[in-house]
């Protein structure tokens, strides 16, 4: 972290600093911290972002809690953009402490903090923490668009079908007639995937297209990429034209480039590969490194799954097996460390490995990986009496392997 050069000479020994600080009365300390913070703002206005963390510290110990909250949030956002996820989490938590001390339980910033905190937890696979953050956000939220987003986030970080349906219905009811909003586009995205899972690929594509129409000319980059992902995948199976999947991949790539977000750009690069036949291993290897840096283990596994297709297309079976094993090992590590679910990509990897052994006639290995396919994962516990852990896709996978 940067320090303030003009103040460095004051305390050359930490014990001297501590003894001096403890000798200052509380009110004087607050005034001292306020003066230091104001001095930093005055002296380093041209590159103030380098001092967000110090400003957050000094304002937190002063009477200016509004400024403390401002700089805790700026520090959190700065860390988030650098994918320093744990640091961002800590600053968001400190921001919540400051906001709570200000006594305004309905402060809209509290909702934004909880949503941001949930998004980071979701990104790094800590889904239980994400659910808690989103639920806390709902307790402080009256804005219907924000409430809709929080319900959709909750839908995305649970596995149980009944709970997913519950949160989706709450999102639709909350949004009401606000049907031209980015939140409605996100609902369409969720509905499209639901239609696909229910065996209605044409409806799935049409629903994704409706959502994309709402946001394609906006700066809602995440929504654009998510909807293009859905439309790209569905159109591969529904249409005979290679141009349609490529069109959606290109829309996603253009939006991702405009956003400047490395995660979205990597996501869009995967769509371009998916549309063009999955033949460039360098794209997937680069994506794997980027997502490891970002901390998005689910997307690392996602790219290992696609990397194995790339190797199979080149008849490099051993490399394909190794890619799948890497994905499986990472999925199991997430479960063992209670970092959450890989979102179905574990089963893709298990199924892919089973298919490779089935095609080579290795019955023993097919049986082994079929058993692994049915091995339960360890997601967050369901509320008592709610839902089931059975996955309707398990039967499809097993039938395909046999």
């Amino acid at each position: 972290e940067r320090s303030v050069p003009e103040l460095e000479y004051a305390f050359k020994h930490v014990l001297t600093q501590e003894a001096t600080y403890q000798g200052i009365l509380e009110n004087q300390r607050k005034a001292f911290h306020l003066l230091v913070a104001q001095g930093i703002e005055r002296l380093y206005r041209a590159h103030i972002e380098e001092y967000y963390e110090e400003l957050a510290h000094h304002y937190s110990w002063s009477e200016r809690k509004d400024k403390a909250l401002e700089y805790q949030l700026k520090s959190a956002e700065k860390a988030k953009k650098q994918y320093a996820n744990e640091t961002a989490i800590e600053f968001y938590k400190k921001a919540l402490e400051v906001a709570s001390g200000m006594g305004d339980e309905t402060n809209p910033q509290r909702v934004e903090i909880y949503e941001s905190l949930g998004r980071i937890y979701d990104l790094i696979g800590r889904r239980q923490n994400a659910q808690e953050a989103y639920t806390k956000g709902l307790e402080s939220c009256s804005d219907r668009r924000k409430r809709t987003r929080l319900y959709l986030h909750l839908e995305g970080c649970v596995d149980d079908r009944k709970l997913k349906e519950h949160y989706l219905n709450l999102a639709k009811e909350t949004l009401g007639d606000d049907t031209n909003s980015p939140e409605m586009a996100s609902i369409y995205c969720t509905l499209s995937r639901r239609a696909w899972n229910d065996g209605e690929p044409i409806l799935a594509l049409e629903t994704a297209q409706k959502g994309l129409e709402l946001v394609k000319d906006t700066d809602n980059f995440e929504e654009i990429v998510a909807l293009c992902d859905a439309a790209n995948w569905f159109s591969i199976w529904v249409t005979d034209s290679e141009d349609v999947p490529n069109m959606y991949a290109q829309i996603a790539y253009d939006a991702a480039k405009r956003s400047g977000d490395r995660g979205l750009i990597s996501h869009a690069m995967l769509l371009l590969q998916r549309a063009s036949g999955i033949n460039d291993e360098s794209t997937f290897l680069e994506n794997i490194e980027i997502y490891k840096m970002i901390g998005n283990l689910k997307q690392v596994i996602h790219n290992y799954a696609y990397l194995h297709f790339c190797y199979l297309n080149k008849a490099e079976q051993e490399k394909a097996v190794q890619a799948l094993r890497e994905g499986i090992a990472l999925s199991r590590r997430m479960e063992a460390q209670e970092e959450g679910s890989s979102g179905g990509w574990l089963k893709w990897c298990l199924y892919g490995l089973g298919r490779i052994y089935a095609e080579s006639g290795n019955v023993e290995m097919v049986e082994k990986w079929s058993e692994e396919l049915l091995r339960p994962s360890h997601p967050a516990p369901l509320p008592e009496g709610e839902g089931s852990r059975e996955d309707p896709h398990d039967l499809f996978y097993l039938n395909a392997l046999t």
Side-chain angles (χ1 to χ4, degrees):
E1 291 183 3
R2 290 289 303 270
S3 59
V4 186
E6 281 77 357
L7 300 180
E8 285 180 353
Y9 73 90
F11 301 108
K12 287 299 186 183
H13 196 288
V14 66
L15 294 179
T16 306
Q17 178 180 354
E18 181 65 20
T20 304
Y21 185 79
Q22 292 300 328
I24 301 173
L25 295 175
E26 184 177 351
N27 287 341
Q28 291 175 316
R29 290 182 195 175
K30 290 180 179 180
F32 169 75
H33 282 292
L34 180 60
L35 285 172
V36 172
Q38 290 173 336
I40 294 172
E41 286 184 313
R42 185 174 61 256
L43 289 169
Y44 304 106
R45 189 175 303 279
H47 44 103
I48 196 70
E49 66 281 353
E50 297 180 21
Y51 298 94
Y52 284 164
E53 298 85 353
E54 289 178 63
L55 286 163
H57 168 74
H58 287 298
Y59 274 123
S60 292
W61 284 98
S62 77
E63 294 285 2
R64 292 294 305 275
K65 299 306 180 187
D66 58 326
K67 298 288 283 186
L69 181 57
E70 175 189 343
Y71 283 110
Q72 294 288 4
L73 289 175
K74 285 182 175 179
S75 298
E77 290 297 312
K78 176 181 170 181
K80 186 171 75 170
K81 287 179 182 177
Q82 296 171 344
Y83 302 109
N85 296 316
E86 293 299 333
T87 301
I89 287 169
E90 287 307 308
F91 276 115
Y92 279 127
K93 285 181 175 179
K94 289 177 182 176
L96 283 172
E97 290 176 11
V98 174
S100 296
M102 294 168 71
D104 185 359
E105 296 298 319
T106 61
N107 188 324
Q109 284 183 299
R110 288 171 59 86
V111 181
E112 293 167 11
I113 296 168
Y114 278 121
E115 183 177 11
S116 296
L117 199 52
R119 294 292 301 279
I120 296 176
Y121 281 135
D122 213 352
L123 173 75
I124 62 178
R126 291 166 58 178
R127 298 173 79 192
Q128 184 64 33
N129 293 120
Q131 291 174 47
E132 291 170 1
Y134 296 143
T135 302
K136 283 285 188 181
L138 284 166
E139 293 173 4
S140 306
C141 185
S142 58
D143 181 273
R144 66 176 180 171
R145 285 192 177 187
K146 290 179 181 178
R147 289 185 68 83
T148 299
R149 285 204 308 270
L150 290 166
Y151 283 130
L152 288 172
H153 291 324
L154 281 165
E155 189 278 340
C157 64
V158 297
D159 294 317
D160 178 67
R161 287 173 66 86
K162 287 185 178 180
L163 278 178
K164 292 178 84 69
E165 188 75 32
H166 172 67
Y167 287 128
L168 178 58
N169 287 337
L170 285 173
K172 290 190 289 186
E173 291 169 9
T174 300
L175 190 62
D177 59 0
D178 189 7
T179 54
N180 291 316
S181 60
E183 288 73 21
M184 188 67 226
S186 295
I187 288 174
Y188 277 130
C189 190
T190 304
L191 288 171
S192 72
R193 295 188 183 282
R194 181 67 55 85
W196 173 264
N197 289 336
D198 289 342
E200 300 183 76
I202 295 175
L203 176 61
L205 178 57
E206 291 173 347
T207 306
Q209 289 168 333
K210 286 180 182 178
L212 188 57
E213 282 298 313
L214 294 177
V215 291
K216 68 178 183 179
D217 297 321
T218 72
D219 290 339
N220 299 104
F221 303 121
E222 287 189 42
E223 289 82 357
I224 293 171
V225 173
L227 285 156
C228 284
D229 183 342
N232 165 271
W233 176 250
F234 305 150
S235 62
I236 288 171
W237 298 94
V238 170
T239 69
D240 294 326
S241 169
E242 294 181 1
D243 294 337
V244 178
N246 271 306
M247 175 187 71
Y248 291 121
Q250 192 60 54
I251 293 171
Y253 183 73
D254 292 343
K257 289 290 283 185
R258 284 192 291 135
S259 77
D261 185 280
R262 294 185 70 180
L264 288 181
I265 293 170
S266 294
H267 193 154
M269 289 295 294
L270 185 149
L271 303 191
L272 288 168
Q273 270 295 301
R274 197 161 69 186
S276 61
I278 312 178
N279 51 28
D280 181 9
E281 65 183 276
S282 64
T283 295
F284 301 108
L285 290 170
E286 183 178 348
N287 279 2
I288 286 167
E289 293 308 310
I290 289 172
Y291 282 122
K292 283 181 179 178
M293 181 271 293
I294 291 172
N296 191 335
L297 299 184
K298 177 179 171 181
Q299 285 296 333
V300 174
I301 299 164
H302 186 172
N303 277 271
Y304 273 128
Y306 274 102
L307 180 60
H308 115 272
F309 287 124
C310 183
Y311 287 138
L312 286 181
N313 289 340
K314 297 179 178 183
E316 297 182 88
Q317 189 178 85
E318 288 186 12
K319 286 186 176 181
V321 169
Q322 184 58 35
L324 291 171
R325 287 182 180 274
E326 292 281 359
I328 292 167
L330 186 52
S331 295
R332 292 304 191 198
R333 196 193 87 190
M334 288 175 69
E335 293 174 2
Q337 296 178 357
E338 297 184 346
E339 293 177 355
S341 162
S342 59
W345 289 107
L346 170 60
K347 290 187 177 180
W348 261 61
C349 291
L350 291 169
Y351 170 67
L353 205 52
R355 286 297 300 168
I356 290 173
Y357 288 122
E359 289 170 6
S360 65
N362 192 331
V363 176
E364 183 180 349
M365 293 300 287
V366 171
E367 290 177 350
K368 174 186 174 181
W369 293 107
S370 295
E371 290 174 3
E372 279 289 302
L373 189 60
L374 289 177
R375 175 182 161 186
S377 58
H378 306 287
L382 288 171
E384 186 175 351
E386 290 281 355
S388 164
R389 288 294 180 209
E390 295 180 2
D391 187 334
H393 294 97
D394 285 350
L395 185 59
F396 163 78
Y397 286 129
L398 288 174
N399 285 337
L401 288 178
T402 54

